[in-house]
Amino acid sequence: MNYNYRYRLRPSDALAEQLAWTVDTCRQVYNHFLHRLNRTDDTSAYSEQKLLPSLKKWWNDLKQVHSKVLQKVVQRLYDNLSTLRGR
């Protein structure tokens, strides 16, 4: 039998605020790429991920979020759409 350990996270107020800011920024990026997807039909997750460096040039808040996190946001969008198509 496998057991998973669970640890309660008790961040400081400053860290909790930073985590909330990061989640909100990821939500905005998700919605941005969803809007782009609704406007253009022929896109893929990889082609959209290649746009992230140019997006960081004019969206200064994205410089504070790690690049892998932003790539996973775009990948999650396409995974969600793939799951919805399967249903």
Side-chain angles (χ1 to χ4, degrees):
M1 180 180 276
N2 292 331
Y3 291 100
N4 291 331
Y5 295 103
R6 298 171 78 184
Y7 299 99
R8 184 171 299 272
L9 181 63
R10 293 188 178 101
S12 64
D13 290 340
L15 183 58
E17 183 177 325
Q18 179 67 26
L19 289 171
W21 179 88
T22 303
V23 168
D24 185 55
T25 304
C26 289
R27 177 192 58 80
Q28 293 175 15
V29 170
Y30 185 95
N31 288 337
H32 172 79
F33 281 101
L34 182 61
H35 178 72
R36 282 183 48 81
L37 181 68
N38 288 335
R39 288 180 29 211
T40 58
D41 290 330
D42 193 26
T43 62
S44 67
Y46 183 71
S47 66
E48 294 294 310
Q49 286 174 350
K50 290 195 310 189
L51 297 175
L52 286 170
S54 63
L55 191 63
K56 278 187 169 186
K57 289 181 182 174
W58 63 269
W59 194 346
N60 292 329
D61 289 342
L62 295 185
K63 293 178 183 176
Q64 297 176 8
V65 181
H66 197 275
S67 61
K68 292 288 184 182
V69 173
L70 296 174
Q71 290 172 7
K72 290 300 285 182
V73 168
V74 174
Q75 187 64 43
R76 176 169 292 207
L77 171 64
Y78 281 86
D79 288 346
N80 290 347
L81 292 173
S82 173
T83 302
L84 284 174
R85 277 190 210 110
R87 291 182 177 224

